[in-house]
Amino acid sequence: MPKDHGIGASSKRREDVRFLTGQGRYTDDINLHGQAYVHFLRSDVAHGRLNKVDTSAAEGMPGVIRIFTGKDFEGVGGLPCGWQVTDRHGNPMQEPAHPVLAQGKVRHVGDPIAAVVAETAAEARNAAEAIVLDIEELPAVVDMKKALRPDAPKVHDDLSSNLCYDWGFVEENKAAVDEAFSKAAHVTTLELVNNRLSPNAMEPRVAVGDYNTGTDDSTLYTTSQNPHVIRLLMGAFVLGIPEHKLRVVAPDVGGGFGSKIFHYAEEAFCTFAAKAIRRPVKWTASRSEAFITDAHGRDHVTKIELALDAENNFTAIRTETYANMGAYLSTFAPSVPTWLHGTLMAGNYRTPLIYVNVKAVFTNTVPVDAYRGAGRPEATFQLERLVDKAARELGVDPVDLRRQNFITQFPYATPVAVEYDTGDYNATMDKLLEMIDRDGFEARAAKSKADGKLRGLGINCYIEACGIAPSALVGQLGARAGLYESATVRVNATGGIVVMTGSHSHGQGHETSFAQVVADMIGVPEAQVEIVHGDTANTPMGMGTYGSRSIAVGGSAMVRATEKIIKKAKKIAAHLMEASEGDIELKDGQFTVAGTDKSVAWGDVTLAAYVPHNYPLTELEPGLEETAFYDPNNFTYPAGAYACEVEVDPETGKVTICSFAAADDFGNVINPMIVSGQVHGGLAQGIGQALLENVSYDENGQLLSASYMDYAMPRADDVPFYQVDHSCVTPCTHNPLGVKGCGEAGAIGSPPAVVNAVIDALHRGGMKHVAHIDMPLTPARVWSAMHG
Amino acid sequence: MYSFEFAKPKTIDEAVAALAGEEAQALGGGQTLLPTMKQRLAAPATLVSLNSIPEMIGVCVNDAGHVCIGGATPHAVVAREAAAHYPALAALAGHIGDPAVRNRGTIGGSLANNDPSACYPAAALGSGAVIKTNTRDIAADDYFLGMFETALNEGEIITEVRFPVPQKVNYQKFVQPASRFALVGVFVAKYADGVRVAVTGASSDGVFRWAEAEAALNADFSKAAIDALSPPEGTMISDLHGTDAYRAHLVKVMTGRAVAAA
Ligand SMILES: Cc1cc2nc3c(=O)[nH]c(=O)nc-3n(C[C@H](O)[C@H](O)[C@H](O)COP(=O)(O)OP(=O)(O)OC[C@H]3O[C@@H](n4cnc5c(N)ncnc54)[C@H](O)[C@@H]3O)c2cc1C
């Protein structure tokens, strides 16, 4: 019997009532008394010297309150980078300044030059058109390899080159890896691109800055996945506002996918300007602005090689990747191609020697940072494409080659510095094969052939590292933050429970699944538990939501705080029942004394805590409220096996996905329905990357895919009905819920399945010259590859 | 968007009068014009809505058996009401954009705009339609003058489009993955006096008739007749979504499929 409440139940998402009936409260729904509006004048050239910004005509336009330029921010800090990577030679990465408004130069199309604050949004925009710019256009660098040539124009004049860092991992293993390649019985090589993506959250970014002259308090309402992080970064590094004078509120947020982790110029601007003009200042991004200001994702160019011995055991992996940083370092950009990518290069396999080289490059493009999966999709894609290619070259079954090399003993220390605590890759592969009827494939392929189509099957595995992360470890790796999570559990006198979490929900359903955890532990109905998040004024310092960390880290903090609550409540119950604390049991919201028929209800205990007439006041404080901070011991390692079946139309190159199956091991699952939903969304984004989405720049740095007319998002009819399964469970060994996280898996595991399937289809159709096609596999690209 | 005046005439005459004003522009469904205005790339002083002129809305069949569609008829209405008279045209209208676009966008707006990737131009040219305006009748062959260029004069309104109904017909649309306009669309129609093949999406000169295919199909209306041809030559579009060679290839494939399905 599936559970109908608590941990393991598919409770309906309580937040959907307001989301689906238009009662959500998003940042753009917030309008403050006396609010002014800002319009940003942005660069329309990719690279240029900013000789003059003449605002004189614009100042006199109707409704204009004040116009700001880079000069206004000269005494103010720049946007900080939260992660410092150390290069192969032990030197820190090159870290350029990132002003709130451009100073001296513009470095990408969309770089903000001036900000007009006016009575209405239209007046602000009208006045922005009257600003006269003198920009001397400079040659732009767009292609990463060209950007590293000695004569390339420099994005940042004060840096020695466009190279941010040249990272080697594990540098000490390099010689041994090279040697393994020289001894290999077979080497498979693959060059590929991991295409640049635009995140496209349904809700564009919005910021409202407010300043209270009476108290000298600043408040920022913003579309953020991590309001405390924004408060810390903006307060400490940009505006110099101490945290007790700065409140950051991220109310309902309509999707983030990583793009709302980062601290953006517009947030700092609205907070700064509100104080400067003594009025609230609001900015709402247009979709066009989103394309040129939200941090992009991916954009790696990679060469990867696999060495195998004569028995087809993997003996070494070597990679060289160019990772695009864009024009500035976005908040966590340097960590994505390094610690979130290199550490995953072992995948699900027992490869003893691995060397990963990553060159991060500045270009005149929008900054690139974490996007659903962040580094792990890039690692998975190269590895799983490579293993497929190796199987084809060796003439062995791609599933068998994978199984032969699977890690089967846990814990397993990889040669890339992480330790997988648990997993069972054969179990998810077995489950997958059970789901897809592989034996029936040939018959399906024959039917496709009769219809003039080529059918292909692609299978792959993935592993990811979630639940980021042990603070001490990430500190050693260059993070300028801790990555714990927090929760305060506040029990009210009549037994209702409010949980204030440092995690943030922007669509994941935390209000439902977090309530399930706490309600289950205490044994009260879920409706008795309320989840509060998103406001630094009423939640403990937390690091927010990304990297599939919320249930693993945020949920663990909640468990710890709830354990403290239960411990104290038992003391109160013991007092009420005149029993000893050690004999008290809590079940279904009732405290009992073991071996007796004595009991008190949860509500009696909570009432006693707040109306302490009969209460052990000398030993115990009244009240029932506890906070816990949880710092994980390790990452968590969800893993699984995915399969995609496609049909390719040989006349047009069009790929149709016939079926997609995902067998995941997420450890214990709190709400199976929500987990399936997370996988569905991830798969749609992964399929979008594989078949449709691509950020495209021309050689002058103009964005060609600047609207939905040219940037192809997946629509409902681009994706099949998914088969998803998460019944293979190896619980995480180091967190109290045994959970691993599920938010990114779909986006990580699906691109290689799609591409493997298309290559399989083409090979079955006799086009054996097609070793690889770079994503997105648009009809035009597939057709070109077929005829290449 | 800049501020503008809004006129909502009830008759064609009133609309023509309103359009004579300074920087006045006709508004059909606004599916092209409004986004352009939002981006501040167009700034008409007055928008003259054609959506409340009853004589310009609806589908009927005239005495000659031609399907007549009012110039301000939305695609969704054509999809519904032309289905019995000219199914291929109704199907074409029913696959333009999404429901919102089909409920607002109009045939007159589409033909006036003459987007090189739009569907209606292929139907009009492929059917040898007559584009009726407030001043004259224009044969489709004389109407399309190149990408976003038409024979319409300033202030001239498309009031109706008349389509002769073919014996055999099919429209094949291969969608551009992002916009889902036609990357290449081919409209093949067989009339008693000959076959017409109109191609949209492919050429930087806008919609065109593929003469070689028409000649081949006049001799033998079969897919095999197309298979024997080389792809059309001419100024094919090359962009993010496909090269000129790919588009030329698609023209041939889609023509063959249209013939097979007609
Ligand atoms: C998301 C999206 C997807 C689309 N997909 C497709 C597609 O797949 N295939 C396709 O063919 N089209 C597509 N379109 C275009 C759409 O079908 C409209 O037909 C087109 O945008 C113009 O029609 P409209 O009535 O909206 O004209 P408007 O936008 O109102 O006007 C366009 C131009 O025509 C002029 N005009 C309007 N009506 C008349 C008239 N009666 N006489 C003279 N001039 C007039 C206007 O002054 C303006 O210059 C799409 C549009 C969108 C927004």
Side-chain angles (χ1 to χ4, degrees), chain A residues 122 125-126 129 649 651-652 654 692 696 704-705 708-712 715 717-718 779-780 783, chain B residues 1-2 38-40 174 176-181 223 240-242 245-246 249-250 253-254 257:
Chain A
R125 192 170 173 189
N126 289 342
E129 284 177 1
D649 179 345
E651 284 189 323
T652 64
K654 186 174 164 51
L692 296 159
S696 182
L704 301 175
S705 54
Y708 291 134
M709 283 292 160
D710 289 301
Y711 189 88
R715 290 144 155 115
D717 63 355
D718 288 315
W783 184 81
Chain B
M1 196 177 278
Y2 298 100
K38 281 189 188 168
Q39 289 175 309
R40 299 190 156 196
F174 192 83
Q176 192 259 57
S179 71
R180 292 197 174 177
F181 273 69
K223 185 170 175 296
L240 279 184
H241 307 287
Y246 180 59
H249 166 78
L250 280 183
V253 173
M254 292 300 130
R257 288 184 182 181

